[in-house]
Amino acid sequence: MKLLILLSVFVLSSYYVKAQSFELVHDHSTIQVEDIEVSAKFYADILNLKELETPWPDYKLIRFFETGKNQQLHIAQAQI
C-alpha cells in the first residue's frame, strides 16, 4: 500500500512540476596579468577596448573591458 501511494504521488507530481530552463551563455573571460596598470593601458590604448566599471570600485587589482555585445574581458593582477 505504501508503495502504491508513493508511486501515485511521484506520477502525479511529475505532471505538475516543470524543471527550470536556462540557457548556458559565455559572457566573459578572465586572465591573470603581471602588472594590472600596464595591461589595462594596453587593452584600452592599443586594442581600443572600452573599460567598464567593476562591482568593486575600491579594489584596484581587477579591471573589466567590453569586447562585444554582452561580452567582457576581465584582467586580474596575479597574486604571486
Side-chain angles (χ1 to χ4, degrees), residues 5-6 18 21 27 30-31 37 40 52 63 78:
I5 292 172
L6 286 174
K18 294 194 183 250
S21 64
D27 61 359
T30 303
I31 59 171
E37 294 302 324
L52 305 169
R63 308 279 278 275

Side-chain angles (χ1 to χ4, degrees), residues 50-65:
K50 177 184 172 190
E51 187 165 2
L52 305 169
E53 290 186 31
T54 71
W56 318 281
D58 295 332
Y59 187 67
K60 304 298 182 194
L61 298 179
I62 190 164
R63 308 279 278 275
F64 291 6
F65 292 90

Side-chain angles (χ1 to χ4, degrees), residues 12-23:
L12 291 175
S13 66
S14 67
Y15 287 110
Y16 296 105
V17 176
K18 294 194 183 250
Q20 181 180 5
S21 64
F22 67 94
E23 182 180 352

Side-chain angles (χ1 to χ4, degrees), residues 30-37 39 59-63 74-80:
T30 303
I31 59 171
Q32 288 188 328
V33 296
E34 288 185 22
D35 187 321
I36 193 80
E37 294 302 324
S39 298
Y59 187 67
K60 304 298 182 194
L61 298 179
I62 190 164
R63 308 279 278 275
H74 300 177
I75 58 172
Q77 177 81 39
Q79 302 293 316
I80 301 173

